[in-house]
Amino acid sequence: MTNKAERKEHPISMRLPEADIAMIDRAAGLRGRSRTDFVRDAAVRAAEDVLMENRLIRMTPEGFTDFMAALSAPAGPVPEMVELMRRPAPWEPGDVAKR
């Protein structure tokens, strides 16, 4: 009786222009990754983004009413953002970088 091990990985083949391969190889090299790892990670991230964009959110009618009320309410200041916007930019006079 032969027991075939289940494949955990499956090949994907693509035909790409040489310029695309060169760009992918350069980017992968900058990240210290192989082309396969770089392309796999990029493809998985893109797939996750698409799936999250199309995710259905379910809520009760009461929850939806509360959600819409929160969206419709006037925005309030966020103290951390107010403080950040008051700081001078690093290139402006008066900037004292904390190091």
Side-chain angles (χ1 to χ4, degrees):
M1 186 191 275
T2 310
N3 245 353
K4 286 189 177 181
E6 287 187 39
R7 288 188 85 158
K8 295 181 181 180
E9 296 180 349
H10 301 277
I12 293 178
S13 178
M14 290 187 276
R15 296 179 193 273
L16 299 172
E18 189 175 328
D20 289 355
I21 293 292
M23 185 184 321
I24 290 167
D25 286 348
R26 184 172 177 209
L30 289 170
R31 294 281 188 232
R33 313 285 304 271
S34 69
R35 180 192 301 161
T36 299
D37 286 342
F38 186 84
V39 171
R40 179 181 47 235
D41 289 349
V44 169
R45 266 195 317 275
E48 288 171 345
D49 289 347
V50 169
L51 294 173
M52 292 304 291
E53 288 171 3
N54 292 291
R55 188 173 182 143
L56 181 63
I57 299 173
R58 298 178 190 264
M59 61 182 73
T60 65
E62 297 80 19
F64 182 72
T65 300
D66 293 343
F67 176 69
M68 291 306 294
L71 289 179
S72 300
V78 177
E80 295 84 359
M81 292 298 293
V82 171
E83 192 275 325
L84 180 64
M85 293 296 110
R86 287 188 177 148
R87 290 185 205 164
W91 57 86
E92 293 177 335
D95 174 51
V96 180
K98 294 179 182 176
R99 293 182 186 172

